[in-house]
């Protein structure tokens, strides 16, 4: 099949080719060199009550936490009071407090985990004012943290990392709003609804009465993809023909979910004035993405071993939209879990065990293979610092990164961040197995049941939001536990990253010497990739062996 080669190659090229130009534009936006919306920027900053004065890392973090806390509180109240608010033509009631808590945390942390079905549970007001607003500002929050880290690396002997409110406003105004507007118009052109009309009644083929859900979908879908959010307007996300009606809409949405994440890597090169370094990181990410694509596509092009004798049809079509098939579904699965996006155009529960494992590994690594907007590159930078530190120790030299010495304080914060995923997945997720109703929640026994559990908590702690079907996410305990995992996965990285940025900004820069570990070239790319894979492998190899690997072996055994 020519598609299995052409489609993934085209996808990777479409993601990478605009990255340098867009990365340069992001640099100009954050440094105030692109001011074509200056009057609106000044007015918005005035509403925020900020004068743009630069902050140290603690003030930056406090502003971020205060803003996100306020966003959570407002969204929580909107969801509880939904039945009393306007733009609710279907008269949908408010959510219970556990589900409202879970959903508010989910969208505030850029996870967009959905323990509800959008068209059956949320009003237009909740979707537009509540969720879509958080889609913008949660993405901007991640980008702001990444920029603060870039400034910390680039600057010396200062405590200033920029101003959170200014960074937030600039990213929303100059990047997300214009790009989302263009993408939304393209999606409307392709047939995605953008309406405030009530649901339309109609008679089905068997003359049964049904409702056709409508709503302002295109505007939310555009930002859900661009901002690495992923929360669908409709319950089955981008597998729904109203969210993703055509082959062109599928490509637009698929490419959009990695576009800004790839560009942020190039923005790093502009800040540190070392484009070779940013290219090396981009290559390492691309290599891991391509490996995931090859494994997933290869597995999905094989029929289920248990059914191979019944059909000559190539590929595993269960849970796939016939409009997309196994190849495009696999590309989307790998891309959406490489980013902290979580949108789906196929049901991941129906993928082959090893293809599903690719999605799990992407999330368990902390989603640093491009990752979310900002979150991917600052997560990868933690691995970069760890790689440089370990290599420095192996050759008996004080580890130095881009002229900055890496001390014990920075490495303590790096190690603390490395505990986020194990705690979020293995500890919080493990508590579910001790609950009396765990079998009902998971909905499946054996290796596949373990895969469902690991996937759910990897998705929560990795701020991804996708899930294997059949997991009872709306269970009261799961709403709370998964909410806690999402909070840990978001702020368990943000606080260490800002602290490291503050430490590096204060440090003096030293002249590079020939003995410094090179941060570009094949050696660095190889060691960085190995460090990323080993950290994930050492922590999660046992559960992966007992889950998807065991399921794969059992299917092979049943075929003979």
């Amino acid at each position: 099949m020519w598609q299995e080669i052409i489609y993934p190659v085209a996808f990777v090229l479409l993601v990478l080719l605009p990255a340098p130009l867009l990365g340069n534009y992001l640099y100009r936006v954050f440094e105030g060199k692109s001011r074509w919306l200056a009057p609106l920027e000044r007015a918005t900053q005035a509403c925020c009550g900020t004068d743009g004065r630069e902050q140290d890392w603690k003030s930056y973090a406090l502003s971020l936490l205060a803003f996100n806390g306020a966003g959570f509180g407002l969204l929580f109240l909107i969801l509880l009071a939904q039945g009393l608010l306007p733009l609710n033509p279907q008269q949908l009631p408010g959510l219970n407090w556990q589900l409202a808590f879970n959903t508010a945390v989910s969208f505030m942390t850029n996870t967009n985990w959905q323990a509800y079905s959008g068209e059956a549970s949320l009003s237009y007001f909740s979707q537009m004012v509540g969720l879509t607003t958080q889609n913008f500002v949660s993405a901007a929050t991640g980008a702001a943290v990444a920029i603060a880290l870039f400034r910390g690396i680039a600057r010396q002997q200062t405590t200033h990392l920029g101003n959170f409110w200014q960074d937030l406003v600039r990213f929303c105004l100059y990047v997300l709003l214009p790009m989302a507007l263009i993408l939304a118009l393209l999606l409307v052109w392709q047939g995605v609804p953008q309406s405030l009309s009530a649901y339309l009644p109609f008679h089905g083929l068997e003359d049964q009465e049904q409702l056709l859900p409508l709503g302002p979908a295109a505007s939310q879908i555009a930002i859900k993809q661009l901002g690495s959010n992923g929360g669908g307007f409709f319950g089955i996300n981008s597998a729904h023909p109203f969210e993703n009606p055509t082959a062109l809409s599928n490509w637009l949405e698929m490419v959009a979910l990695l576009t800004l994440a790839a560009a942020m890597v190039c923005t790093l090169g502009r800040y540190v004035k070392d484009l070779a370094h940013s290219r090396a990181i981009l290559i390492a990410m691309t290599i891991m993405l391509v490996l995931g694509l090859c494994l997933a596509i290869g597995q999905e092009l094989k029929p289920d071993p248990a059914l191979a004798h019944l059909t000559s049809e190539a590929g595993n079509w269960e849970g796939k939209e016939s409009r997309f098939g196994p190849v495009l579904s696999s590309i989307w699965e790998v891309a959406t879990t490489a980013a902290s996006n979580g949108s789906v155009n196929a049901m991941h529960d129906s993928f082959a065990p090893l293809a599903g494992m690719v999605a799990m590994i992407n999330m368990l690594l902390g989603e640093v293979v491009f990752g979310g907007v900002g979150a991917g590159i600052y997560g990868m930078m933690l691995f970069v610092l760890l790689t440089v530190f370990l290599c420095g120790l192996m050759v008996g030299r004080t580890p130095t990164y881009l002229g900055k010495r890496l001390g014990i304080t920075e490495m303590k914060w790096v190690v603390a961040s490395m505990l986020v995923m194990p705690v979020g997945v293995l500890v919080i997720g493990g508590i579910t197995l001790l609950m009396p109703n765990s079998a009902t929640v998971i909905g499946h026994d054996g290796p596949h049941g373990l895969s469902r559990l690991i996937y759910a908590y990897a998705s929560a702690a990795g701020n991804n939001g996708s899930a294997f079907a059949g997991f009872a996410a709306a269970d009261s305990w799961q709403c709370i536990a998964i909410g806690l995992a999402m909070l840990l996965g978001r702020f368990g990285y943000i606080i260490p990253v800002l602290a490291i940025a503050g430490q590096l900004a204060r440090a003096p820069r030293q002249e590079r010497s020939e003995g410094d570990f090179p941060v570009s070239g094949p050696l660095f790319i190889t060691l960085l990739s190995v460090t990323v894979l080993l950290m994930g492998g050492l922590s999660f190899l046992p559960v992966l062996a007992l889950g998807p690997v065991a399921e794969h072996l059992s299917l092979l055994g049943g075929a003979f």
Side-chain angles (χ1 to χ4, degrees), residues 105-406:
V105 167
S106 174
F107 281 78
M108 180 266 290
T109 58
N110 197 243
T111 309
N112 289 37
W113 171 273
Q114 294 177 286
Y116 61 88
S117 180
E119 68 269 39
S121 302
L122 295 187
S123 68
Y124 296 163
F125 187 91
S126 295
Q127 296 261 34
M128 289 192 302
V129 178
L131 304 189
T132 303
T133 299
Q134 285 301 314
N135 282 348
F136 278 94
V137 297
S138 64
T141 296
V145 173
I147 295 301
L149 177 60
F150 299 167
R151 292 185 183 126
I153 298 169
R155 296 176 179 181
Q156 58 178 324
Q157 295 180 307
T158 182
T159 60
H160 295 157
L161 296 176
N163 183 280
F164 170 74
W165 307 101
Q166 188 175 68
D167 292 339
L168 182 85
V169 168
R170 284 177 173 173
F171 193 68
C172 285
L173 285 183
Y174 291 95
V175 182
L176 293 180
L177 276 171
M179 291 183 70
L181 176 61
I182 294 170
L183 182 56
L185 291 174
L186 290 173
L187 292 176
V188 170
W189 169 50
Q190 288 300 292
V192 178
Q194 182 71 18
S195 167
L196 297 179
S197 301
Y199 296 178
L200 295 177
F202 72 99
H203 291 276
L205 294 176
E206 298 179 358
D207 204 37
Q208 73 275 27
E209 290 188 3
Q210 293 180 256
L211 285 176
L212 188 68
L214 297 174
S219 55
Q220 182 170 322
I221 294 160
I223 188 57
K224 88 168 186 183
Q225 296 302 93
L226 286 167
S228 294
N229 298 286
F233 192 90
F234 302 104
I236 58 172
N237 210 282
S238 289
H240 197 292
F242 278 6
E243 284 206 25
N244 190 6
T246 67
L248 179 57
S249 72
N250 189 72
W251 276 97
L252 289 171
E253 294 180 31
M254 195 164 60
V255 172
L257 67 89
L258 285 182
T259 298
L260 284 172
M264 289 292 290
V265 183
C266 298
T267 305
L268 166 67
R270 287 299 311 274
Y271 269 97
V272 301
K273 296 179 174 57
D274 191 339
L275 295 178
H277 177 48
S278 62
R279 280 196 299 269
I281 295 175
L282 198 63
I283 292 170
M285 291 178 169
T286 304
I287 289 172
M288 288 184 276
L289 178 71
V290 170
L291 289 175
L293 288 171
C294 291
L295 179 55
I297 293 173
Q299 289 296 307
E300 289 304 303
L301 286 176
K302 300 175 182 178
D304 187 327
L307 304 176
H309 64 287
L310 299 177
T311 178
S312 60
E313 182 71 40
N316 172 24
W317 283 78
E318 183 185 353
K320 312 289 191 307
E321 274 284 329
S322 59
R323 297 173 294 151
F324 309 133
V327 175
L328 288 175
S329 298
S330 298
I331 295 174
W332 191 300
E333 180 225 22
V334 176
T336 198
T337 51
S340 58
N341 185 273
S343 63
V344 297
N345 73 344
M347 296 301 103
H348 292 183
D349 192 54
S350 299
F351 276 66
L354 295 187
M357 185 180 72
V358 172
M360 289 187 216
I361 291 174
N362 284 340
M363 295 185 293
L364 292 171
L365 294 177
E367 290 176 314
V368 296
V369 185
F370 293 104
V373 175
I377 182 59
Y378 69 63
M380 178 59 91
M381 291 303 297
L382 295 171
F383 283 106
V384 169
L385 297 178
L386 182 61
T387 301
V388 172
F389 184 79
L390 293 176
C391 291
L393 292 182
M394 284 191 289
V395 298
R397 291 180 59 88
T398 301
T400 303
Y401 173 63
L402 296 177
K404 299 287 186 74
R405 290 187 181 275
L406 299 179

